[in-house]
Amino acid sequence: MTPEGIANAVVSVLAAAGTLAGVTSRPRRRRNEIKENLALAEELQKNEILRDHTPAVAWLHGKIALDVARLSGQPIGAPKKPIPKGALIFATILLLAFGGWTYWLNRDGFVWYSLVTGALAASMLISILGMTTNREIPPDPEGGLPEGAHPLQSESASQAIVTSVAMAAMSSDGRYEDDGQLGVAFRFVRHMAASEFDEALSLADENWLKCRIQAWLWNARAFIGSDETQLQATTDAIMSSRREHDLWDAFSSAEVNAFQEEWGEIDPDRLGGASRRRRVGPDYDLVVLAPLGESGGYFVNSPTPIPGGFTFLMHKCDGKWLLANHLGIAPPLPGFPPTWWVVGDPSLEELPD
């Protein structure tokens, strides 16, 4: 083969290798993966089950955002402890010194006392590995989160990107707006915590108020009488007169005190709402509020008990979401006593079989 032929062959091989490297390079592979995931996200949007009842679309959008960040060279990943450069240099010098000493002692054959210098060199190597590997900072275990929960706020840029995309997807259905299911529940808690009973009452349906009045009268039957016909007449009078009725102030004060005593020292601004929609009937949704602690919010990937959570049944009346039940998962049933659909209701426990 002539020199010219050899040169042409080399050029051809290098060109083919360059083309292959360009096709299989990591940035190009990531770019193609982003395009494929964008197309897949559009297909997932057309699936009502995956779109409305699972976070699949949010997960995929989060992955796309992370891949774009990596492609553009943005720093992402878990925060890491800085490498102690001074200690690393000192350990490296000792490693070279003891390693060289060990080699010099064994230059003519193994001697047992070289084990001492060898052990010192090995300890320096282990120290160097400890300073340069596994430097990720673990999350704070004392965040007050339930077991299996992961905080939304994180110093990790990758988690922050996924969180922002997921939260945008979850809040796009309007449930977190002031007049949405969760928004109304948040406002109800704030008003009750601030002793603003009339404002809280404006966010509850008529059936809830009727049952609250019946429960209050039933619990006071030792003082006002237990005749159910008279109790119902008093209920109707309070419902129609509200503030004009002689018993209204006593009723409203007792309600505020009961709610505040039951809820304890809660900060409404540190409550978060469960993102998954829970429909329990036509025009009825169940919402869950839970204390966030210092985490700023958290998400779960599996069924997780939520300590200190508040469950509210919301009812859509004339296009407005209102509180239907603050205890059970069904609308309360009027009566003496009313039925709140909770186990252990003391008013029901006192009733004869």
Side-chain angles (χ1 to χ4, degrees):
M1 181 178 290
T2 64
E4 183 178 354
I6 295 174
N8 290 335
V10 170
V11 170
S12 299
V13 171
L14 292 177
T19 302
L20 181 61
V23 171
T24 60
S25 65
R26 180 176 296 179
R28 184 176 293 273
R29 291 199 309 271
R30 181 164 286 143
R31 196 175 289 112
N32 291 333
E33 187 177 357
I34 291 172
K35 292 179 181 178
E36 293 173 359
N37 285 337
L38 283 172
L40 177 59
E42 292 181 2
E43 292 298 321
L44 291 177
Q45 288 283 9
K46 300 175 184 178
N47 188 302
E48 294 183 2
I49 300 297
L50 293 176
R51 184 190 63 211
D52 298 335
H53 302 285
T54 76
V57 178
W59 288 339
L60 187 57
H61 280 136
K63 182 180 184 337
I64 293 171
L66 286 177
D67 286 340
V68 172
R70 294 189 182 99
L71 188 64
S72 59
Q74 295 297 318
I76 58 175
K80 297 182 179 180
K81 295 180 291 185
I83 296 176
K85 296 181 180 179
L88 179 63
I89 293 173
F90 183 69
T92 303
I93 292 173
L94 292 180
L95 171 63
L96 295 176
F98 287 119
W101 192 358
T102 303
Y103 174 78
W104 184 81
L105 291 174
N106 292 288
R107 67 189 184 281
D108 297 325
F110 174 75
V111 292
W112 67 268
Y113 45 83
S114 66
L115 292 175
V116 177
T117 55
L120 292 173
S123 65
M124 290 301 104
L125 178 61
I126 294 173
S127 176
I128 291 172
L129 291 175
M131 288 185 280
T132 56
T133 59
N134 296 328
R135 296 184 293 115
E136 289 78 8
I137 300 175
D140 182 11
E142 300 298 329
L145 300 182
E147 184 178 355
H150 308 277
L152 290 181
Q153 290 184 352
S154 173
E155 295 181 10
S156 167
S158 59
Q159 290 186 18
I161 291 173
V162 174
T163 294
S164 63
V165 173
M167 290 302 294
M170 290 186 296
S171 60
S172 61
D173 58 3
R175 292 184 300 118
Y176 288 85
E177 301 295 332
D178 281 350
D179 56 352
Q181 300 95 305
L182 283 162
V184 172
F186 278 123
R187 290 162 58 200
F188 178 85
V189 173
R190 288 193 182 96
H191 288 315
M192 276 297 190
S195 300
E196 298 168 347
F197 183 70
D198 289 347
E199 289 80 357
L201 200 59
S202 67
L203 302 175
D205 66 16
E206 290 292 303
N207 184 65
W208 182 85
L209 174 60
K210 181 178 182 179
C211 291
R212 292 310 301 166
I213 294 174
Q214 288 180 331
W216 181 69
L217 292 174
W218 178 258
N219 292 332
R221 65 189 182 279
F223 306 99
I224 62 177
S226 58
D227 181 70
E228 292 190 13
T229 302
Q230 183 59 41
L231 291 177
Q232 185 58 52
T234 304
T235 299
D236 295 338
I238 296 176
M239 287 281 294
S240 61
S241 301
R242 303 289 177 97
R243 279 193 167 278
E244 303 301 323
H245 198 279
D246 293 340
L247 296 177
W248 180 262
D249 288 341
F251 165 68
S252 60
S253 297
E255 286 293 283
V256 169
N257 292 335
F259 273 88
Q260 292 180 350
E261 182 178 349
E262 178 65 25
W263 289 346
E265 297 294 330
I266 65 167
D267 183 353
D269 293 330
R270 288 183 175 269
L271 291 177
S275 58
R276 184 171 66 86
R277 186 175 183 184
R278 296 166 169 84
R279 304 184 71 173
V280 296
D283 295 326
Y284 282 96
D285 274 25
L286 201 67
V287 302
V288 179
L289 307 186
L292 302 178
E294 301 297 329
S295 68
Y298 56 86
F299 66 93
V300 296
N301 293 323
S302 59
T304 302
I306 302 178
F310 304 95
T311 300
F312 297 103
L313 180 68
M314 310 305 294
H315 182 203
K316 194 172 186 179
C317 302
D318 299 326
K320 295 172 54 179
W321 285 101
L322 299 172
L323 177 77
N325 195 342
H326 63 288
L327 293 172
I329 62 173
L333 185 64
F336 291 98
T339 301
W340 294 98
W341 306 113
V342 292
V343 177
D345 187 337
S347 296
L348 297 178
E349 297 290 342
E350 296 172 358
L351 293 178
D353 292 334

